[in-house]
Amino acid sequence: MSASSGATRLKLLDGALRTVVEQGIAKTSARSIATTAGVNQALVFYHFGSVDELLAAACVHGAEQRVSRYRERLAALGSLTELLAFARVMHAEEREAGQVAVLGQLLAAGQTSPALAAATSAGLALWVEELETVLTRLLAATPVAAFVDPAGLARATAASFVGIELYEGIDPEGATRALDSLEQLAVLVQALEGLGPLSQRAVTHKLRRSTRA
């Protein structure tokens, strides 16, 4: 691929995301995307074949950009409490950047478009993979490490984040309370970490018995 062709594809990917944010998916067309990107409309079909395929590629492209933006900061976190505090920061940044609007629009469109459904799933998978890495590292030093599946928890966390992001649009107070509740769970884990060895063993024993029941 030539440098010129690569630059055009990038303009279209960014233009597609901007169009969804600014105009909504119902008004997103080859013409509107091309206008936003500043290129000829025919290039949408030349490079991607269809608007849905362009939007699918843009969804993954956008997720890669956003995950990359936070990777270093996530790697520097030292506890679950820090992770949840950072989640609030990320939550505000993502809403300000219009990413919540994009996700909401693509999730809705994906109900009737297999291409968009697959791309949205792939985009979310990038977040899940990043979260799993962080959670595996942070949980390893806690008494609950043996009882928590980081992969499953990463998916639950990503789903919660998406839900809270979309929920905030209709109930900001409820979204804030949901984040507060997640922070309370982190405080509980932190309290367990502060227990002495004997108390931690007692908690671990109790958890093992509970999970076998």
Side-chain angles (χ1 to χ4, degrees), residues 155-211:
R155 285 164 174 75
T157 302
S160 297
F161 184 76
V162 171
I164 290 172
E165 291 291 308
L166 298 176
Y167 186 40
E168 187 180 42
I170 59 171
D171 185 1
E173 182 180 350
T176 298
R177 290 181 65 183
L179 284 171
D180 289 342
S181 295
L182 290 175
E183 287 188 353
Q184 289 168 3
L185 291 176
V187 170
L188 175 60
V189 173
Q190 191 175 38
L192 290 174
E193 290 177 343
L195 296 175
L198 289 177
S199 297
Q200 285 197 11
R201 280 198 291 271
V203 171
T204 300
H205 177 69
K206 179 63 176 178
L207 287 172
R208 284 202 179 98
R209 292 188 62 185
S210 298
T211 54

Side-chain angles (χ1 to χ4, degrees), residues 8 12 29-35 38-51 54:
T8 299
L12 287 167
S29 63
R31 176 175 295 180
S32 62
I33 292 171
T35 299
V39 301
N40 189 289
Q41 178 179 335
L43 292 172
V44 170
F45 304 100
Y46 175 78
H47 286 284
F48 295 96
S50 70
V51 173
L54 169 53

Side-chain angles (χ1 to χ4, degrees), residues 19 28-29 34 38 52 76 91 115 130 136 149 162 165 168 182 186 195:
T19 303
T28 296
S29 63
D52 271 7
H91 167 84
E130 201 68 28
T136 298
D149 171 24
V162 171
E165 291 291 308
E168 187 180 42
L182 290 175
L195 296 175

Side-chain angles (χ1 to χ4, degrees), residues 69-105:
R69 173 186 175 87
Y70 297 113
R71 183 166 290 124
E72 287 188 8
R73 283 187 279 177
L74 286 168
L77 298 175
S79 69
L80 292 176
T81 304
E82 289 181 12
L83 174 60
L84 286 167
F86 176 66
R88 286 188 181 272
V89 175
M90 188 165 60
H91 167 84
E93 290 182 7
E94 290 299 280
R95 178 163 289 281
E96 181 66 24
Q99 296 305 307
V100 178
V102 171
L103 183 59
Q105 299 270 354

